[in-house]
């Protein structure tokens, strides 16, 4: 019997999907952590506001709710995804041109916030649609391993990419030309956007676009298959714990590394490289492990690793800067079991006809909660900094306290996954 997944079109689509994810990973590197922190610090934005802007990705998940309506109107999945994803990356590129605008710090801050929000809005409006479309070319029983290999390619090439770009940025800064590095980063983002467009074009059209159109699914029916599904509601709770746990502190780590611990961008990227190398080695075994056991089991193990990382980071100071290195490595490794499994787990408990809507709901609720905790965390950070990095008479960086909070929440998430999610009946589809 001929397996459609072995056809040339399906193989090309899977390869193009892998390439696109790698390119998008490069973009995510340039608009986060030390690179974005360097830009925001240059503009004159405070550490607390930098953390909020860095965490806008959580608020952007809210825009996924609009995909509930987009799915109803969309007739060509491929064209829709290409348009929104391309526009998203254009706005990411524009972020690095903000320092050259002849305007006050306040105006520049507003522009940066607007650009980041718009970029993420366009990206996440179609992310669920894209995920379902691209994954339709992957055999259901091999999604875990395929996702792991896809991630391994991104990580290995990302290591070379970050080292090269990190070195270039440090070179510009060493020569007193930090703004030159922003032009360089904008050009790199433009090249990545063009490459991203090509890879999306090479993925075959969504086969469901050619199927006979049926009556549009009402929001009431969607609610029945999502909020009316107890197993999926538990997945939403897990998503909230994960987003709240990590965003209580992760958005403030870029400035912590470069401003407080005085690590160079190059040093930060070397630490990230080590973490990604280890993540690379365990990604495929992690994927196979999740395929053989369940996505929930993979998530549980990864949450424990993430919790350990944040726990160690609670002790990071200038003299114990290596703690942030340990954190970065554990956090990177944990993502091997969290990134793809948190996407794939919806397939385990929600009918495939409602996957896009389910992902939009899950990510939006988790994102809102994650952003909310970032706002609270930013105030805690500002309070501690305004008191000379002291809390109750104890010398302490705000990020140390926030890391301890993340440790507790992520440990609770691991327990919830073990006690509740892992015991739910899994759907194979």
């Amino acid at each position: 019997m001929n397996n459609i997944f072995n056809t040339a079109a399906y193989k090309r689509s899977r390869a193009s999907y892998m390439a696109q994810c790698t390119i998008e990973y490069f973009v995510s590197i340039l608009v986060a952590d030390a690179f974005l922190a360097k830009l925001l610090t240059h503009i004159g934005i405070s550490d607390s506001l930098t953390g909020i802007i860095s965490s806008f990705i959580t608020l952007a998940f809210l825009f996924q709710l609009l995909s509930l309506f987009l799915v109803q109107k969309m007739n060509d999945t491929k064209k829709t995804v290409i348009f929104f994803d391309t526009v998203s990356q254009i706005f990411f590129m524009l972020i690095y041109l903000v320092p050259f605008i002849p305007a006050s710090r306040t105006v520049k801050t507003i522009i940066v916030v607007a650009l980041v929000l718009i970029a993420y809005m366009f990206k996440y409006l179609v992310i669920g649609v894209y995920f379902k479309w691209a994954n339709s070319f992957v055999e259901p029983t091999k999604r875990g391993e395929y996702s792991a290999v896809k991630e391994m390619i991104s990580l290995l090439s990302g290591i070379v990419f970050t080292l090269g770009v990190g070195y270039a940025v440090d070179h510009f800064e060493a020569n007193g030309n930090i703004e030159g590095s922003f032009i360089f980063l904008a050009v790199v983002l433009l090249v990545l956007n063009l490459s991203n467009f090509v890879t999306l074009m090479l993925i075959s059209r969504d086969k469901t676009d050619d199927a006979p159109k049926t009556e549009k699914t009402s929001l009431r029916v969607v609610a029945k298959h999502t909020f009316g599904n107890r197993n999926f509601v538990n997945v939403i709770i897990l998503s909230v714990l994960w987003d709240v746990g990590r965003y209580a502190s992760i958005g403030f780590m870029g400035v912590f590394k470069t401003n407080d611990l005085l690590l160079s961008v190059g040093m930060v990227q070397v630490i990230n490289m080590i973490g990604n190398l280890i993540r690379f080695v365990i990604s495929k075994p992690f994927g196979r492990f999740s395929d053989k056991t369940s996505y929930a089991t993979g998530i549980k193990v990864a949450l424990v690793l993430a919790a350990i990382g944040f726990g160690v980071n609670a002790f990071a100071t200038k003299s114990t800067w290596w703690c942030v290195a340990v954190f970065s490595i554990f956090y990177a490794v944990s993502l091997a079991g969290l990134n793809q499994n948190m996407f794939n787990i919806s397939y385990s408990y929600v009918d495939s006809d409602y996957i896009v809507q389910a992902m939009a709901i899950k990510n939006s609720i988790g994102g809102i909660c994650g952003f909310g905790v970032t706002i609270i965390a930013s105030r805690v950070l500002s309070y501690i900094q305004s008191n000379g990095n002291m809390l109750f008479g104890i010398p302490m960086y705000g990020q140390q306290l926030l890391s301890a909070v993340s440790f507790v929440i992520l440990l609770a998430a691991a327990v919830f996954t073990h006690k509740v999610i892992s015991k739910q009946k899994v759907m194979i589809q």
Side-chain angles (χ1 to χ4, degrees):
M1 180 178 178
N2 183 39
N3 187 345
I4 192 173
F5 292 99
N6 291 328
T7 61
Y10 272 57
K11 289 180 178 179
R12 186 195 68 239
S13 296
R14 289 196 297 272
S16 299
Y17 180 30
M18 283 188 174
Q20 190 276 335
C21 287
T22 297
I23 293 169
E24 198 151 63
Y25 177 60
F26 290 171
V27 173
S28 69
I29 290 172
L30 297 184
V31 295
D33 201 46
F35 291 112
L36 182 60
K38 187 68 67 175
L39 171 74
L40 299 180
T41 299
H42 177 75
I43 293 175
I45 296 176
S46 66
D47 287 1
S48 57
L49 184 54
T50 293
I52 294 175
I53 294 174
S54 298
S55 299
F56 269 166
I57 185 173
T58 60
L59 184 62
F61 277 128
L62 179 62
F63 296 116
Q64 278 193 260
L65 287 177
L66 296 178
S67 66
L68 298 177
F69 305 98
L70 180 66
V71 170
Q72 305 284 356
K73 303 291 183 180
M74 189 173 58
N75 292 315
D76 193 318
T77 301
K78 183 172 181 176
K79 287 183 179 179
T80 302
V81 170
I82 289 176
F83 171 76
F84 281 95
D85 204 55
T86 300
V87 172
S88 168
Q89 295 199 20
I90 289 174
F91 278 99
F92 277 135
M93 177 193 71
L94 293 176
I95 292 172
Y96 282 99
L97 299 181
V98 172
F100 304 98
I101 298 176
S104 65
R105 182 178 65 182
T106 301
V107 172
K108 289 181 179 179
T109 300
I110 293 173
I111 294 175
V112 167
V113 169
L115 290 174
V116 172
L117 272 179
I118 294 172
Y120 278 126
M121 178 184 73
F122 275 82
K123 175 183 174 66
Y124 285 102
L125 184 59
V126 294
I127 193 170
V129 176
Y130 175 47
F131 181 78
K132 182 181 178 182
W133 165 43
N135 267 285
S136 67
F137 302 103
V138 183
E139 286 191 68
T141 57
K142 297 181 179 179
R143 284 199 186 106
E145 184 175 349
Y146 173 81
S147 297
V149 172
K150 176 162 60 72
E151 186 171 82
M152 289 168 68
I153 293 174
S154 296
L155 288 172
L156 192 60
S157 54
I159 288 171
V160 178
F161 178 79
T162 51
L163 278 177
V165 175
Y167 173 81
V169 170
D170 283 344
H171 179 73
F172 276 108
E173 188 171 14
N175 290 327
N177 186 22
I178 186 64
E179 292 190 344
S181 71
F182 300 147
I183 296 177
F184 167 74
L185 291 172
V187 172
V188 172
L189 284 166
L190 176 61
V191 173
L192 290 175
N193 194 2
L194 293 173
S195 302
N196 184 72
F197 178 83
V198 172
T199 56
L200 287 173
M201 287 293 295
L202 290 173
I203 300 177
S204 298
R205 291 183 71 248
D206 188 346
K207 52 185 179 291
T208 61
D209 285 341
D210 299 321
K213 300 303 178 184
T214 58
E215 185 179 346
K216 300 300 184 180
T217 304
S218 68
L219 293 180
R220 183 177 180 180
V221 174
V222 171
K224 177 183 177 181
H225 286 83
T226 51
F227 291 113
N229 180 342
R230 180 59 191 176
N231 288 346
F232 178 64
V233 170
N234 287 332
V235 171
I236 293 177
I237 294 173
L238 171 62
S239 178
V240 169
L241 288 172
W242 165 232
D243 283 332
V244 168
R246 59 174 169 159
Y247 286 112
S249 55
I250 196 68
F252 308 97
M253 288 306 151
V255 291
F256 184 49
K257 296 171 186 175
T258 56
N259 291 1
D260 296 311
L261 303 186
L262 303 180
L263 300 178
S264 67
V265 172
M267 183 61 178
V268 171
Q269 297 311 317
V270 168
I271 293 172
N272 291 340
M273 177 191 71
I274 295 173
N276 286 336
L277 275 174
I278 300 174
R279 178 179 169 186
F280 172 83
V281 172
I282 71 168
S283 282
K284 194 168 184 178
F286 225 133
R288 287 177 175 171
F289 172 72
S290 298
D291 279 336
K292 290 180 179 179
T293 54
S294 68
Y295 299 132
T297 304
I299 289 172
K300 177 180 65 178
V301 174
L303 284 170
V304 172
L305 292 174
I308 293 173
F310 281 105
V312 173
N313 197 57
F315 298 95
T317 63
K318 287 181 182 178
S319 60
T320 58
W321 64 267
W322 53 268
C323 286
V324 81
V326 173
F327 153 74
S328 298
I329 292 171
F330 267 83
Y331 183 71
V333 171
S334 74
L335 294 180
L338 282 163
N339 272 1
Q340 298 304 325
N341 282 338
M342 287 297 286
F343 271 105
N344 288 326
I345 197 170
S346 294
Y347 281 104
S348 296
Y349 309 112
V350 181
D351 187 283
S352 61
D353 290 339
Y354 305 95
I355 286 294
V356 174
Q357 296 93 329
M359 290 178 61
I361 292 169
K362 173 177 70 70
N363 293 337
S364 296
I365 294 175
I368 293 170
C369 295
F371 186 74
V373 79
T374 300
I375 297 295
I376 297 173
S378 70
R379 294 185 177 183
V380 172
L381 178 63
S382 294
Y383 174 79
I384 294 177
Q385 289 182 333
S386 65
N387 283 279
N389 289 324
M390 299 280 288
L391 182 65
F392 305 128
I394 303 173
M396 176 187 299
Y397 290 112
Q399 287 88 343
Q400 290 181 284
L401 176 62
L402 297 177
S403 292
V405 172
S406 291
F407 167 75
V408 173
I409 296 174
L410 294 179
L411 207 56
V415 173
F416 178 78
T417 304
H418 176 71
K419 294 289 187 180
V420 180
I421 305 291
S422 295
K423 300 183 186 304
Q424 297 180 166
K425 185 178 180 180
V426 174
M427 298 169 61
I428 305 297
Q429 55 181 340

